[in-house]
Amino acid sequence: MVEPGTYLEFSYPINRHVRLFEVVPRRLRKIEVKRVRDLVREPLTINEFARRPYVMRSRWLIAGIDLDVGQWRQFYLGSSDEFRAPGNLRIALYRPGDTCPTEILGREFLPTVFDRRVMLRLIRRWNDRDLGQMDLRIVCDNFRIVK
């Protein structure tokens, strides 16, 4: 998708809450990409997701220097107008060290407040069970770009 060292320019929402995402203004961002995280190969931990469950997320999380302010920033590329992705999430089981899920649990969850609340309840329920050697993770496995 995007490689470290790439310079990107894209329109990004000023607030990524799933309830506000469609209506908030966008701001032009200019980024020198330093790192790219693929949420299939490096899925979110339960703690990462639970810290901010209502954030619009997508498969590619880029991190780098915001050239306008000279500071380190992170952006879900699918939240930009140019690389727009649906933002659907899944709960999956991973074996330690694997870069692909062993099993997908439940259904695909839409980027809505209702679905994110359902996800949190399911995660809490599944996290209390003995999953053996498996790790519960949050995956964004959608390849589509919405225009």
Side-chain angles (χ1 to χ4, degrees):
M1 180 86 194
V2 174
E3 298 294 324
T6 305
Y7 290 87
L8 285 179
E9 196 170 291
F10 52 85
S11 300
Y12 204 72
I14 61 169
N15 186 320
R16 288 178 301 117
H17 191 286
V18 293
R19 186 178 331 138
L20 304 172
F21 181 76
E22 296 296 333
V23 297
V24 297
R26 278 23 185 186
R27 191 171 125 202
L28 184 65
R29 307 305 278 250
K30 299 172 193 159
I31 306 301
E32 179 185 356
V33 178
K34 297 291 188 182
R35 185 177 190 284
V36 179
R37 180 176 178 181
D38 176 351
L39 290 191
V40 171
R41 293 178 150 309
E42 299 176 66
L44 296 172
T45 66
I46 299 309
N47 288 337
E48 285 175 319
F49 174 74
R51 267 194 301 273
R52 298 185 69 205
Y54 302 106
V55 166
M56 184 71 166
R57 291 182 163 95
S58 64
R59 180 167 179 176
W60 307 102
L61 176 63
I62 62 168
I65 305 299
D66 184 322
L67 299 175
D68 288 332
V69 294
Q71 293 182 347
W72 185 266
R73 296 279 191 260
Q74 294 189 133
F75 301 92
Y76 282 100
L77 206 50
S79 294
S80 71
D81 291 344
E82 294 78 3
F83 299 97
R84 183 81 183 271
N88 301 344
L89 300 176
R90 294 181 177 271
I91 303 170
L93 289 175
Y94 279 72
R95 293 187 201 289
D98 279 2
T99 58
C100 311
T102 301
E103 186 176 347
I104 300 290
L105 303 175
R107 65 176 174 84
E108 189 171 52
F109 295 91
L110 302 176
T112 64
V113 171
F114 176 80
D115 265 15
R116 297 295 172 88
R117 282 186 188 141
V118 170
M119 277 186 80
L120 284 169
R121 279 194 296 261
L122 286 172
I123 288 167
R124 287 185 188 114
R125 187 177 309 153
W126 284 329
N127 210 26
D128 290 339
R129 294 186 179 168
D130 179 13
L131 302 173
Q133 297 297 317
M134 304 287 220
D135 295 323
L136 203 56
R137 297 282 191 249
I138 305 302
V139 179
C140 187
D141 62 352
N142 200 307
F143 295 99
R144 292 184 303 144
I145 292 180
V146 178
K147 290 281 179 174

